[in-house]
Amino acid sequence: GGGPPLPPPPPLKWRPGPPLRMPRYDFSLAGPVGGRLYAVGGSGARRCVEVLEVAGLFHHHPPPRPSASSPSGGGPAPARAAAAAEAEVADLPRWELHPVELPEARSGAAAVALGPRLLLAAGSQRSVYCFGPSPSAEAEEDGLGESWDVGSGCGGGGGGGVSDALGPSGRWVRLEGADLDSLRLGSKVVAF
């Protein structure tokens, strides 16, 4: 007997979130890194990367929904539900296109946050890429070329903060020696 039982956790409540600017399926969601989520690749926009500031999602309070008995709650139930969902999403942060596209079209890929960087693997290509600060300064210092060695930890430390590393000055760089032996459609990548 370790005391009274704990109360059950509150039930989860799913809410509509902000829609992607380029709707697509099979994109990979990675992050948060530096307070941002990344929607990477996917069908119809296979080189596209979108970014969402997540702080607005956690501090968002949806507007109260009118009840069916209130004067503003009239009309058919599906129309009321659609209007309430639209109002709930209206003041959320918006997905924005990232200025740096993927280096190659890729669907069914998996991107994960790997420290302050993104790692892209699997899907319709065998190559593995890392997104972070431009490697030019690090490459000169470490003797690396246009691609990083898999043992270098996805490009080393880098200069500025996380926002700079994944900002418009960042680059996708292929990890040499990390190519997959075959295409991995539908596979998952996990970072610890």
Side-chain angles (χ1 to χ4, degrees), residues 30 33 38 40 112-114 117-120 129-131 154 166 172:
V33 175
Y38 294 83
V40 180
V112 293
L114 188 61
R117 292 172 171 75
L118 298 178
L119 182 74
L120 177 72
Y129 285 89
C130 182
F131 186 73
C154 208
L166 297 179
W172 288 100

Side-chain angles (χ1 to χ4, degrees), residues 26-69:
D26 83 350
F27 67 91
S28 184
L29 185 63
V33 175
R36 297 181 181 121
L37 290 176
Y38 294 83
V40 180
S43 62
R46 294 177 179 188
R47 294 187 64 188
C48 172
V49 177
E50 294 186 44
V51 183
L52 177 70
E53 297 284 341
V54 295
L57 294 177
F58 298 123
H59 302 333
H60 173 69
H61 299 289
R65 292 185 178 189
S67 68
S69 60

Side-chain angles (χ1 to χ4, degrees), residues 46-143:
R46 294 177 179 188
R47 294 187 64 188
C48 172
V49 177
E50 294 186 44
V51 183
L52 177 70
E53 297 284 341
V54 295
L57 294 177
F58 298 123
H59 302 333
H60 173 69
H61 299 289
R65 292 185 178 189
S67 68
S69 60
S70 71
S72 63
R80 283 195 320 269
E86 192 174 301
E88 197 169 317
V89 174
D91 63 340
L92 287 173
R94 299 277 181 229
W95 286 97
E96 297 296 331
L97 286 175
H98 194 285
V100 181
E101 290 186 326
L102 295 176
E104 59 191 20
R106 189 174 293 217
S107 62
V112 293
L114 188 61
R117 292 172 171 75
L118 298 178
L119 182 74
L120 177 72
S124 60
Q125 301 290 336
R126 293 179 45 223
S127 50
V128 176
Y129 285 89
C130 182
F131 186 73
S134 177
S136 57
E138 293 173 44
E140 289 172 16
E141 198 173 291
D142 298 339

